[in-house]
Amino acid sequence: MPRTRSLAWSELKLGVMTIVALLLAAVTIVMLTGSRGFFWQQYGLKARFPNVAGLKPGSPVRVAGIAVGTVGSDWTFVGSQVDIPLRVNKDVRDRITSSSVATLGSISLLGESSVDITPATTGTPIPEWGYVPPGRIPAQIADITDSAGQGIQELTALVQDVRQGKGTVGKLMTDQQVYDQLERAIRTLGDLADGLRRGNGSVGKLLTDKTTANELEQSLKNVETLTAQLNAGEGSIGRLLKDDAFARSLQASTDNLQALVAKINRGEGSAGKLLTDTALYDRLNSASDRLDTLIAQLNQGEGTVGQLLKDRQLYENMNKVTAELSTLIADIQKNPRKYFPNKISIF
């Protein structure tokens, strides 16, 4: 009997040690996995990316920067993209919805990646093994290195162009004439600044002469006063801006003018007929032509009037006759009995 009890106690100690070892192993697993939990506390999701550089099975899945799961190992190609299985804690299921976005993040500068999911309070929860909408793929270190290399090459080419005198900066660095012109321009600007400080020119006077500044200030005040008067409705322009009756009167005058123009366009009245009646226009044009012909004949000395305008002798004779006739009339007025002895003077 004592031997039997000893064997039973040995077996019991072995069982206790085994249980303790299992508990220690479970605690170790929990400590190593952190908040990722056990497999029965997780559910599956998927994400699809065109490039998964730096990602590997077991990489962390993070929501708002907190590790909530891991990347699975059953990767599949779908065309030119890759489907990545994700194991995520069920505790964040209500925060991963159709409004969330999955992107590739970076854990360290060594290129190790993670899957980062943005939490969302809107949208519907994604079902198990559903796809998390992908976001913009961040630039990889290789892309950044290539861009930096291209930038260095372009900078090197720019420096070479400057050394060869290409471009404005290159000419400034290598062409003595351009340098001299720039120096003269700077010297001219310096002289201009000195002249302004001494009060030369209108701008200089404005900067240094208080009288000029006061006159300018007074002009600005006058403009301000004029603006205030316009806003108050003073003067014709002010009334035009503020007085409704004056504005209506001006509008009525404009309407009358438009009505008059419309009547003329319709051929009403003399001016309208002149603009629209072809027969009247032809008659007026014919009369104008005849008048031009008559004036041309007069200028050529044709006819009595034309000779009177062109014949100097005829003009002088008529002028002499007119003078003699005036003298005769004056003499008759002075001595009527000389010419009419038996008549009574009517002058």
Side-chain angles (χ1 to χ4, degrees):
M1 291 297 295
R3 184 175 179 84
T4 303
R5 290 198 190 118
S6 179
L7 290 174
W9 176 245
S10 299
E11 293 175 356
L12 181 59
K13 288 192 295 183
L14 180 61
V16 171
M17 293 182 63
T18 302
I19 293 173
V20 172
L22 291 175
L23 290 175
L24 291 175
V27 171
T28 303
I29 292 174
V30 171
M31 293 180 63
L32 291 176
T33 57
S35 60
R36 300 172 189 174
F38 298 101
F39 67 91
W40 62 82
Q41 297 175 318
Q42 298 176 338
Y43 73 106
L45 293 174
K46 288 184 178 181
R48 180 173 294 177
F49 299 108
N51 190 340
V52 291
L55 196 66
K56 61 183 179 180
S59 296
V61 177
R62 301 184 299 188
V63 174
I66 301 175
V68 295
T70 57
V71 175
S73 59
D74 189 14
W75 297 10
T76 57
F77 282 97
V78 181
S80 59
Q81 297 184 338
V82 182
D83 277 356
I84 305 299
L86 309 175
R87 301 294 304 181
V88 182
N89 288 351
K90 294 180 180 180
D91 296 339
V92 294
R93 189 166 193 169
D94 57 342
R95 299 183 182 276
I96 302 177
T97 68
S98 56
S99 299
S100 299
V101 175
T103 57
L104 291 180
S106 179
I107 298 177
S108 65
L109 297 176
L110 298 178
E112 185 178 358
S113 299
S114 64
V115 176
D116 290 338
I117 301 176
T118 58
T121 58
T122 59
T124 57
I126 300 175
E128 188 167 3
W129 296 117
Y131 284 91
V132 182
R136 184 180 62 87
I137 302 298
Q140 302 297 321
I141 295 180
D143 298 333
I144 298 175
T145 304
D146 293 340
S147 299
Q150 292 178 0
I152 293 174
Q153 291 178 359
E154 293 177 358
L155 182 61
T156 302
L158 178 61
V159 172
Q160 292 178 353
D161 291 340
V162 170
R163 289 179 176 177
Q164 294 174 3
K166 297 180 180 179
T168 305
V169 179
K171 289 182 179 179
L172 181 63
M173 299 292 292
T174 58
D175 193 338
Q176 184 65 32
Q177 183 178 359
V178 175
Y179 175 80
D180 294 338
Q181 291 176 354
L182 180 61
E183 185 179 6
R184 285 195 298 270
I186 294 175
R187 191 181 301 111
T188 302
L189 291 176
D191 295 340
L192 177 61
D194 292 338
L196 292 177
R197 284 194 294 268
R198 290 193 299 269
N200 297 337
S202 301
V203 179
K205 289 182 179 180
L206 182 61
L207 294 175
T208 59
D209 191 352
K210 292 183 178 180
T211 303
T212 304
N214 293 333
E215 291 176 353
L216 179 61
E217 184 178 1
Q218 185 62 38
S219 299
L220 294 177
K221 289 182 179 179
N222 294 335
V223 172
E224 184 178 358
T225 302
L226 177 61
T227 305
Q229 291 176 350
L230 293 177
N231 290 329
E234 300 178 6
S236 301
I237 300 178
R239 291 179 59 194
L240 179 62
L241 295 175
K242 294 294 184 179
D243 192 348
D244 293 337
F246 186 75
R248 287 194 297 270
S249 178
L250 181 61
Q251 182 64 35
S253 301
T254 305
D255 293 340
N256 292 335
L257 181 60
Q258 291 178 350
L260 177 61
V261 173
K263 288 182 179 180
I264 292 176
N265 290 331
R266 289 195 301 267
E268 300 178 7
S270 301
K273 289 182 179 180
L274 181 62
L275 293 175
T276 59
D277 191 346
T278 305
L280 179 60
Y281 172 78
D282 293 339
R283 290 197 298 271
L284 183 62
N285 193 25
S286 177
S288 177
D289 293 339
R290 290 196 296 271
L291 181 61
D292 290 340
T293 302
L294 177 60
I295 293 174
Q297 291 176 351
L298 291 177
N299 289 330
Q300 293 174 2
E302 299 180 4
T304 303
V305 179
Q307 291 182 1
L308 181 62
L309 293 175
K310 291 292 184 178
D311 192 340
R312 182 69 180 177
Q313 185 64 38
L314 179 60
Y315 170 77
E316 291 177 355
N317 292 337
M318 289 191 65
N319 193 21
K320 182 178 180 181
V321 170
T322 302
E324 292 176 352
L325 182 60
S326 298
T327 302
L328 177 62
I329 292 174
D331 190 37
I332 292 174
Q333 289 178 344
K334 292 180 180 179
N335 302 303
R337 295 185 180 277
K338 178 180 177 181
Y339 297 94
F340 305 99
N342 298 326
K343 302 291 183 178
I344 299 175
S345 176
I346 60 175
F347 297 99

